[in-house]
Amino acid sequence: MDLFDIKPGDNVAVIWDNVTTAESNSKLVQDIRTVTGSSTHVAMENIERLQISAHKKSSFDIVLSSVVPGSASQHTFDTFAEIARILKPGGRFYFKEPVCISGDNGRLKTASQLISLLKLAGFTEVCEIEKEPLTAEQLSSMNQAIGFPGGNLIKLAVKAEKPNFEIGSSSQLSLSFVKKINPAPERPQLDPNTAKAWTLSATDMNDDDVDLIDSDELLDENDLKKPDPASLRIMSCGDNKKKKRACKNCTCGLAEELGGKELKDVKTFQVKSACGSCYLGDAFRCASCPYMGMPAFKPGEQILLSNKTLSDA
């Protein structure tokens, strides 16, 4: 048992084939139980029924296959995958198998092919323990067992380990990130007095030391007074002239009056001012004032507005 590194408390599975005898298998199980103790579990399973067995996942520490004399098992990929399933993380797998020394005969694997198949099944730390040459009697028995005539055979003993983790398991990774210290580019220093002069925060609004200018203080008394109507110059045609003449672009109605014509779209309409500032000009008129755009006029002066102007207003 020293070859397989079996220790007390290990659960062991022994896989056998139809070529080996019951006596050799029983002796192997007894030797294992002598080392592991009566409280452990030692199971025996035929290699042809391994994939339909009811063994639970990760239930064995060690799996032995075809290690008794005379065995001639050929392990497939599915067999390796099932053994990897029932092994515990970090468990060990020992087996022997006849392989070709060289070449590819289509039926038996070479040593490199066998190791590659183990790695594909999920095993790590795969290594060859022993290459056992066969005597003429053993070769004849082996050829008869596997149905392969030829002398290009050896028996290879291999050890493989299952990774020390389960498929689908997770682990916390401790990552250390080195902070890159990049010196910040130096910014030009401003004069503190200059920066303070152009900075105004919300707290400065309640600061007694900060002088704030009221916008109403920028207007004096004359700016708030309404202009005197008498001082307004009315744009009327013919002022200070003996004979009135209409301007070229007359809008006050003098041209129609002098011509003796009454336009259909022009009528006299006395508009009642709502704000009382219509005569002062556009600066004092409402947004909907009908006089918007017209010059200032004297209070009570007759102004001619067209129907179009009235409808727009």
Side-chain angles (χ1 to χ4, degrees):
M1 297 297 103
D2 295 337
L3 178 62
F4 307 127
D5 196 19
I6 298 177
K7 301 180 180 62
D10 288 342
N11 293 326
V12 183
V14 177
I15 301 174
W16 57 278
D17 56 15
N18 297 327
V19 179
T20 57
T21 62
E23 292 78 8
S24 59
N25 291 329
S26 299
K27 184 177 184 305
L28 176 62
V29 172
Q30 291 176 2
D31 294 340
I32 294 173
R33 285 177 176 172
T34 302
V35 177
T36 59
S38 58
S39 60
T40 58
H41 177 57
V42 179
M44 292 194 66
E45 192 67 53
N46 187 276
I47 191 171
E48 296 180 359
R49 301 181 56 85
L50 178 62
Q51 298 181 37
I52 59 175
S53 63
H55 297 298
K56 295 182 179 180
K57 178 181 179 181
S58 303
S59 54
F60 296 101
D61 299 286
I62 298 175
V63 175
L64 306 178
S65 178
S66 302
V67 295
V68 296
S71 61
S73 299
Q74 297 184 46
H75 301 81
T76 62
F77 174 80
D78 294 334
T79 303
F80 288 149
E82 179 64 18
I83 293 173
R85 187 188 70 84
I86 64 177
L87 268 176
K88 294 181 180 180
R92 299 178 302 279
F93 173 40
Y94 298 89
F95 71 99
K96 292 182 179 182
E97 181 172 338
V99 296
C100 293
I101 298 176
S102 61
D104 185 7
N105 53 43
R107 295 186 59 183
L108 297 180
K109 298 180 285 292
T110 61
S112 60
Q113 291 173 346
L114 188 64
I115 293 175
S116 299
L117 205 62
L118 282 166
K119 292 181 178 179
L120 288 175
F123 287 97
T124 59
E125 303 296 332
V126 180
C127 60
E128 299 178 6
I129 300 177
E130 181 184 5
K131 290 182 179 180
E132 180 183 346
L134 301 177
T135 62
E137 183 180 355
Q138 291 175 339
L139 185 60
S140 176
S141 177
M142 190 74 63
N143 292 337
Q144 185 178 0
I146 62 178
F148 174 73
N152 190 20
L153 294 177
I154 61 171
K155 202 167 187 180
L156 184 66
V158 181
K159 172 189 174 184
E161 294 185 8
K162 182 179 178 179
N164 196 19
F165 58 84
E166 283 289 5
I167 297 175
S169 60
S170 61
S171 177
Q172 181 82 25
L173 297 179
S174 58
L175 303 177
S176 60
F177 298 97
V178 180
K179 295 183 178 180
K180 296 182 179 180
I181 302 176
N182 296 327
E186 295 184 0
R187 298 181 179 180
Q189 298 295 330
L190 298 177
D191 187 2
N193 297 327
T194 304
K196 186 177 181 181
W198 290 97
T199 303
L200 184 64
S201 63
T203 57
D204 294 335
M205 304 298 293
N206 300 325
D207 193 353
D208 297 335
D209 297 335
V210 178
D211 296 332
L212 300 178
I213 300 176
D214 190 359
S215 58
D216 295 336
E217 295 180 359
L218 299 177
L219 302 175
D220 54 15
E221 296 180 357
N222 295 329
D223 295 329
L224 300 177
K225 290 182 179 179
K226 292 184 178 180
D228 187 5
S231 64
L232 296 176
R233 181 178 182 275
I234 303 175
M235 298 179 63
S236 59
C237 300
D239 282 353
N240 300 326
K241 294 181 180 179
K242 294 181 180 180
K243 187 177 180 180
K244 293 183 178 181
R245 292 183 180 179
C247 299
K248 183 177 181 181
N249 298 323
C250 182
T251 58
C252 64
L254 181 59
E256 290 80 2
E257 182 181 353
L258 295 177
K261 301 178 181 179
E262 270 188 45
L263 299 179
K264 294 181 179 180
D265 61 339
V266 177
K267 69 177 181 177
T268 302
F269 186 83
Q270 187 68 29
V271 180
K272 184 178 180 180
S273 177
C275 62
S277 303
C278 296
Y279 67 93
L280 296 177
D282 288 347
F284 300 92
R285 291 169 180 163
C286 302
S288 60
C289 184
Y291 298 105
M292 187 65 69
M294 298 182 63
F297 53 87
K298 291 182 179 181
E301 183 179 358
Q302 181 178 352
I303 304 297
L304 299 178
L305 297 174
S306 64
N307 291 334
K308 182 178 180 181
T309 305
L310 291 174
S311 62
D312 292 342

